Amino acid sequence: QHQLLIAGRRKNKDKAEKDRTQAVALLKALENAGEVAPLRSVYEAMPKPWRRTIARELHNRDENRLADLICA
């Protein structure tokens, strides 16, 4: 999830996009492995500004279902 936090701060747009793509792929792999509860626990333990950033990044990539699953 940290890649979603970092991506928006990167000056290099290609690296930012790579961070976003890798983060979403990892989140989907964890979801497919049935690891949603630990993902949600980590997410909920993060500071509120970080949670907002992660949710925004997922929604901006049209990963609304994944955002709802993790950020709900």
Side-chain angles (χ1 to χ4, degrees):
Q1 292 177 345
H2 80 280
Q3 288 176 312
L4 292 174
L5 294 170
I6 294 169
R9 296 179 182 172
R10 285 201 184 270
K11 294 182 195 269
N12 183 317
K13 298 298 179 188
D14 291 334
K15 286 187 178 185
E17 184 56 29
K18 183 179 175 185
D19 282 342
R20 289 179 180 105
T21 300
Q22 288 179 335
V24 168
L26 178 59
L27 292 173
K28 286 181 177 181
L30 290 169
E31 174 195 4
N32 291 337
E35 298 296 326
V36 175
L39 276 176
R40 203 175 284 146
S41 293
V42 169
Y43 174 81
E44 290 172 357
M46 292 180 171
K48 193 172 188 176
W50 291 10
R51 294 193 312 258
R52 280 194 302 259
T53 298
I54 290 169
R56 182 179 60 245
E57 287 285 347
L58 289 171
H59 285 295
N60 287 346
R61 292 186 59 83
D62 290 326
E63 294 292 343
N64 298 317
R65 185 193 54 76
L66 191 57
D68 292 343
L69 190 65
I70 296 168
C71 305

